[in-house]
Amino acid sequence: MLESIWFVLWGVLWAVYFMLDGFDLGLGTLMPVIARNDTERRIVYNAAGPFWDGNEVWLIAAGGVTFAAFPHTYAVMFSGLYSALMLILFALIFRGVAFEFRGKIESPAWRRFWDGCLVVGSFLPAFLFGVAFANLFQGIPIDGEGVYRGTLFTLLNPYGLLGGLLFLCLFLVHGCVWLAVKTEGKLHQRAARFAKTLWAVLAVVAAGFFVATWFATRLYMNYIKNPLLFSIPIVVIPAATVASLLAVRYFVGKGAWWKAWFASATTIVGATFFGLAGLYPNLIPSTLNPTYSMTIYNSASSTLTLKIMLGVALIFVPLAIAYQVWTYRLFRHKVTEADLAYEEAY
């Protein structure tokens, strides 16, 4: 029972991370095409500035839970996906430094360098997280000792690349909608146009991914094999995900930007849960032999550890949620050119 509870919490943490950090990863990736001058680029920085580091708390929490609740899976994941995860880590480091260092020196070349770091540091995690999770959905070649029998290029298979494209499109739309929420004038109008265009691309990619999932993974079969356990998720999660994706386009058309952002967030959470629920009870399926798969049962920590961690989570997760709600409420206003004059502005 405890293993299943932690499987759900593990999925919740990843879903919340993608929902929150997704929009600033999308913003950073879009910046070269959506911001036309240095003032607009600074507005993009400040639209994400108060939130990006708090959002990454959920990435640390998700990684920490993987380590503490399912240490064997953590070991296999970080050895098998080592190159991809190191690329993500260095990209996130340079991206974080870009926020802090870009405004330190008044030099166009200096600012262009850090803008490049922000773009690459946003694009790579957005794309590679999609590649990594798509590979987890279809399984990776791990043997009976938990040793990964592939290379970085093994992960760059057609389904993995399609997963990367899906995550990238989800985050780009999420970022466009957030920028429309936080800006006004020409930048706001440009973000609105980009949101409409990218939503159409996202709809096509999402449809292709869900069809490809039938052929490339066992997620649907796993749902069918567990009709009682997944009787609600197999209906509710896909329906809610599709409905929220359609709602994004509806609210974008109406100019209801906060509603569009919450619909986009629901789409990301639904897509993440659809994949992770289909894995249960696996955490990393093996493509070499199903008995080699890492599951919640053969990779979980002791019962005592899981109980202690559950107590800690019940205390500190609500505190983290309360802090983030306060942050989003405090900085909910639009970013204007006047805000750039503050010393604290990026």
Side-chain angles (χ1 to χ4, degrees), residues 69-143:
F70 306 110
H72 300 298
T73 292
Y74 181 90
V76 172
M77 184 183 293
F78 271 76
S79 60
L81 307 179
Y82 185 81
S83 300
L85 292 176
M86 284 299 104
L87 281 174
I88 291 173
L89 178 61
F90 282 111
L92 291 175
I93 290 172
F94 276 96
R95 173 172 166 268
V97 175
F99 274 99
E100 303 300 330
F101 276 36
R102 183 184 188 273
K104 299 297 183 185
I105 297 178
E106 292 292 336
S107 161
W110 174 266
R111 293 190 168 191
R112 279 197 300 273
F113 173 76
W114 290 112
D115 287 346
C117 289
L118 180 74
V119 174
V120 175
S122 300
F123 168 79
L124 277 180
F127 184 73
L128 290 177
F129 272 126
V131 171
F133 272 78
N135 275 282
L136 292 183
F137 296 160
Q138 73 173 353
I140 60 176
I142 52 174
D143 63 18

Side-chain angles (χ1 to χ4, degrees), residues 137-138 159 162 206-220 274-275:
F137 296 160
Q138 73 173 353
Y159 184 71
L162 187 58
F209 183 81
F210 282 106
V211 171
T213 297
W214 175 267
F215 298 100
T217 76
R218 295 184 56 81
L219 296 187
Y220 293 109
F274 173 76

Side-chain angles (χ1 to χ4, degrees), residues 262-320:
F262 279 110
S264 177
T266 306
T267 305
I268 292 172
V269 171
T272 306
F273 266 108
F274 173 76
L276 295 181
L279 279 177
Y280 183 87
N282 292 314
L283 291 163
I284 305 178
S286 170
T287 55
L288 300 181
N289 188 327
T291 61
Y292 298 159
S293 299
M294 304 305 300
T295 72
I296 62 172
Y297 302 113
N298 65 16
S299 65
S301 293
S302 68
T303 300
L304 177 61
T305 301
L306 295 179
K307 284 181 178 177
I308 293 172
M309 286 176 53
L310 188 58
V312 172
L314 289 175
I315 294 171
F316 288 102
V317 169
L319 290 177

Side-chain angles (χ1 to χ4, degrees), residues 4-314:
S4 297
I5 291 172
W6 273 106
F7 179 85
V8 173
L9 290 175
W10 177 73
V12 168
L13 291 172
W14 279 112
V16 171
Y17 169 66
F18 292 140
M19 175 184 75
L20 293 180
D21 212 28
F23 76 79
D24 55 58
L25 292 174
L27 267 183
T29 306
L30 273 175
M31 194 178 70
V33 294
I34 207 165
R36 302 290 169 78
N37 53 52
D38 191 63
T39 299
E40 290 187 348
R41 283 189 283 276
R42 288 193 66 197
I43 290 175
V44 170
Y45 273 91
N46 283 277
F51 311 103
W52 71 270
D53 48 357
N55 295 340
E56 292 191 355
V57 166
W58 298 98
L59 174 62
I60 296 169
V65 163
T66 311
F67 171 74
F70 306 110
H72 300 298
T73 292
Y74 181 90
V76 172
M77 184 183 293
F78 271 76
S79 60
L81 307 179
Y82 185 81
S83 300
L85 292 176
M86 284 299 104
L87 281 174
I88 291 173
L89 178 61
F90 282 111
L92 291 175
I93 290 172
F94 276 96
R95 173 172 166 268
V97 175
F99 274 99
E100 303 300 330
F101 276 36
R102 183 184 188 273
K104 299 297 183 185
I105 297 178
E106 292 292 336
S107 161
W110 174 266
R111 293 190 168 191
R112 279 197 300 273
F113 173 76
W114 290 112
D115 287 346
C117 289
L118 180 74
V119 174
V120 175
S122 300
F123 168 79
L124 277 180
F127 184 73
L128 290 177
F129 272 126
V131 171
F133 272 78
N135 275 282
L136 292 183
F137 296 160
Q138 73 173 353
I140 60 176
I142 52 174
D143 63 18
E145 302 298 322
V147 177
Y148 177 65
R149 297 298 182 184
T151 67
L152 175 63
F153 296 104
T154 306
L155 304 175
L156 302 178
N157 53 74
Y159 184 71
L161 294 174
L162 187 58
L165 188 58
L166 174 66
F167 269 50
L168 184 62
C169 291
L170 282 168
F171 293 168
L172 289 178
V173 171
H174 208 35
C176 280
V177 174
W178 181 257
L179 192 60
V181 167
K182 296 290 289 180
T183 59
E184 55 190 15
K186 292 182 179 178
L187 189 55
H188 170 87
Q189 294 167 6
R190 211 174 296 135
R193 286 200 305 273
F194 272 77
K196 292 174 184 174
T197 304
L198 288 169
W199 183 91
V201 178
L202 169 62
V204 173
V205 172
F209 183 81
F210 282 106
V211 171
T213 297
W214 175 267
F215 298 100
T217 76
R218 295 184 56 81
L219 296 187
Y220 293 109
M221 296 306 296
N222 205 23
Y223 274 116
I224 295 169
K225 280 172 57 182
N226 300 280
L228 180 61
L229 184 61
F230 291 110
S231 57
I232 294 176
I234 197 172
V235 175
V236 173
I237 294 177
T241 305
V242 172
S244 58
L245 179 61
L246 296 173
V248 173
R249 183 61 184 85
Y250 175 78
F251 289 128
V252 166
K254 293 287 186 182
W257 296 108
W258 274 112
K259 292 179 180 176
W261 188 82
F262 279 110
S264 177
T266 306
T267 305
I268 292 172
V269 171
T272 306
F273 266 108
F274 173 76
L276 295 181
L279 279 177
Y280 183 87
N282 292 314
L283 291 163
I284 305 178
S286 170
T287 55
L288 300 181
N289 188 327
T291 61
Y292 298 159
S293 299
M294 304 305 300
T295 72
I296 62 172
Y297 302 113
N298 65 16
S299 65
S301 293
S302 68
T303 300
L304 177 61
T305 301
L306 295 179
K307 284 181 178 177
I308 293 172
M309 286 176 53
L310 188 58
V312 172
L314 289 175

